[in-house]
Amino acid sequence: MTIELICLDADDTLWHNMRHFEIAEQALLEILKPFADAGVTRERLEAVEIRNLALYGYGAKSFTLSMIEAAIELCGGALSVRQISEILAAGRDLLAHPVELLPGIEETLDALADRGRLVLVTKGDLLHQEAKLAASGLGDRFHGIEIVSDKNADTFQRLFTRYGVPPGCAIMAGDSMRSDVLPALTAGAWAAFVPQALAWSHERAEAPAAHERFRQLKSLGELPDWIDQIR
Amino acid sequence: MTIELICLDADDTLWHNMRHFEIAEQALLEILKPFADAGVTRERLEAVEIRNLALYGYGAKSFTLSMIEAAIELCGGALSVRQISEILAAGRDLLAHPVELLPGIEETLDALADRGRLVLVTKGDLLHQEAKLAASGLGDRFHGIEIVSDKNADTFQRLFTRYGVPPGCAIMAGDSMRSDVLPALTAGAWAAFVPQALAWSHERAEAPAAHERFRQLKSLGELPDWIDQIR
């Protein structure tokens, strides 16, 4: 079995992402400091995010709306309009942040491109993901760009069909066990988990350590070697 | 030249959309009534929307964020947290509204399916567009679903290439001169303009009345006949 299709997550796999959400969240904690402890605010924000997920989906605009909602729930009428303005501004900064590639990404993509067609598979806000890809300068390296509202086994099955590759000839690499690794394995593909420091708890899940098509890597730079072992 | 690919816009071409944005906007006018005349609020909201378009893009979440921003700009500290909560609720209603098909859409799609492959081409929020398509029950009728961040000539050229059809064998129908008609014509395809009552001013543009590949229709129900004339 040879890998022909190499699917890669974008946020926190190719470039930093969670650190920008973390900056926005820190701004919220600071704004709400007069009303609530950091822990209380974090907990409320996460509850509001999970509650809104089916309606809002992933991404920076959803996060901004949930920050405003969590702030109102926590502080009620004590919250000022100026403070809501500051939350909106933190959301705008999150959408406009510069794109910083993770270490060695360009060399890794060169090595991967020698081994198969590269496809970017990312979820979140359509416009924001396109803007980040454009800002990254990596757009030309991908055979296909797939921006999806959610990553599940169906998403991956449809994707392998579209690119005309049996699942056993496809591999997915990303930093989310729940969105990148598990659904790709379920769809019959290989999957590499490249964890990063600031994982959103909603994305955490048990590693399928014993699965023959699964491997945990220290960095994406280890992916070309693993693909060579699969060959 | 025979039409092989029939591309259709979704919002206000297959189902009502602007009326739901109008309901949300009416809610905002009502909330801000103590502070500003309807005309002033509408004008400010539109200015904020245009200003945010490059960063936020289209869709209900972007609209909600712009409503909050416009309200804060208009009212400053006089705005209450309860009122911002009401704006958030109007935005949630906009995301959750039921899908109501325009008259005769299912029969029209039957007639169109006899004439070519149908592709849905829509912009806006990825998750919200998917949710509306699912709620519409029309998903199975389309050969392809293309949810894009913007519709320009490049978008249509890439689309025709992906579906393996020369532009002269493709037709696009929609209610926006700026997003559906003009870019499809520029890309070399045929284009039908099916205007609806509540057009967003940003989407208005001059009709290319004399263009040989353009036709204005009273309803989408007239499209099958026009396609037969092109044959």
Side-chain angles (χ1 to χ4, degrees), chain A residues 53-57 61-62 64-65 68-69 72 76 79 81 84-85 88 92 95-96 124 126-127 130 147-149, chain B residues 53-57 61-62 64-65 68-69 72 76 79 81 84-85 88 92 95-96 124 126-127 130 147-149:
Chain A
L53 201 53
L55 193 61
Y56 287 168
K61 281 181 294 192
S62 307
T64 307
L65 288 166
I68 296 172
E69 204 172 313
I72 291 177
L79 196 68
V81 163
I84 292 177
S85 248
L88 276 175
R92 270 198 300 274
L95 277 166
L126 190 55
L127 179 70
E130 285 182 0
I147 303 175
V148 298
S149 62
Chain B
L53 201 52
L55 193 61
Y56 287 169
K61 282 180 292 190
S62 307
T64 308
L65 288 166
I68 296 173
E69 204 173 311
I72 291 177
L79 196 70
V81 162
I84 293 177
S85 248
L88 276 174
R92 269 197 301 272
L95 278 166
L126 189 56
L127 179 68
E130 286 181 359
I147 303 174
V148 297
S149 62

Side-chain angles (χ1 to χ4, degrees), chain A residues 150-163:
Chain A
D150 200 9
K151 291 178 185 170
N152 51 46
D154 279 354
T155 315
F156 283 103
Q157 260 148 10
R158 277 199 306 273
L159 198 149
F160 302 147
T161 304
R162 178 175 318 155
Y163 289 88

Side-chain angles (χ1 to χ4, degrees), chain B residues 4-200:
Chain B
E4 297 167 23
L5 196 73
I6 301 167
C7 302
L8 300 170
D9 172 54
D11 288 340
D12 293 309
T13 297
L14 301 183
W15 51 66
H16 286 290
N17 176 59
M18 279 307 290
R19 70 159 62 160
H20 298 286
F21 277 83
E22 188 63 24
I23 290 167
E25 192 168 319
Q26 284 296 338
L28 180 72
L29 301 183
E30 197 58 38
I31 294 164
L32 300 191
K33 218 176 186 175
F35 310 101
D37 282 348
V40 172
T41 301
R42 277 190 193 274
E43 205 171 294
R44 179 60 66 106
L45 175 60
E46 195 173 315
V48 172
E49 276 187 273
I50 301 283
R51 192 177 71 204
N52 285 337
L53 201 52
L55 193 61
Y56 287 169
Y58 298 89
K61 282 180 292 190
S62 307
F63 189 69
T64 308
L65 288 166
S66 289
M67 283 199 293
I68 296 173
E69 204 173 311
I72 291 177
E73 283 184 15
L74 276 171
C75 315
L79 196 70
S80 75
V81 162
R82 189 182 50 72
Q83 287 162 325
I84 293 177
S85 248
E86 287 167 12
I87 300 174
L88 276 174
R92 269 197 301 272
D93 288 348
L94 176 54
L95 278 166
H97 71 75
V99 171
E100 310 146 75
L101 296 185
L102 288 171
I105 283 300
E106 293 186 272
E107 297 77 353
T108 299
L109 291 182
D110 285 342
L112 290 172
D114 290 340
R115 287 160 174 83
R117 281 179 291 162
L118 307 187
V119 176
L120 192 74
V121 187
T122 174
K123 67 184 179 183
D125 184 83
L126 189 56
L127 179 68
H128 191 206
Q129 292 295 350
E130 286 181 359
K132 285 195 279 192
L133 182 63
S136 76
L138 299 176
D140 289 345
R141 293 165 173 267
F142 290 93
H143 186 83
I145 311 292
E146 303 290 332
I147 303 174
V148 297
S149 62
D150 200 7
K151 291 178 185 170
N152 51 46
D154 280 354
T155 314
F156 284 103
Q157 260 148 9
R158 277 199 305 273
L159 198 149
F160 303 146
T161 304
R162 179 176 316 158
Y163 289 89
V165 167
C169 295
I171 193 164
M172 171 72 198
D175 71 304
S176 169
M177 190 59 78
R178 184 192 172 109
S179 296
D180 299 318
V181 172
L182 299 180
L185 288 176
T186 303
W190 302 72
F193 178 49
V194 191
Q196 47 96 22
L198 298 164
W200 191 31

Side-chain angles (χ1 to χ4, degrees), chain A residues 14-15 99 120 128-139 142 145:
Chain A
L14 302 183
W15 52 66
V99 170
L120 192 74
H128 192 204
Q129 291 296 348
E130 285 182 0
K132 285 195 279 193
L133 183 61
S136 76
L138 299 177
F142 290 93
I145 311 291

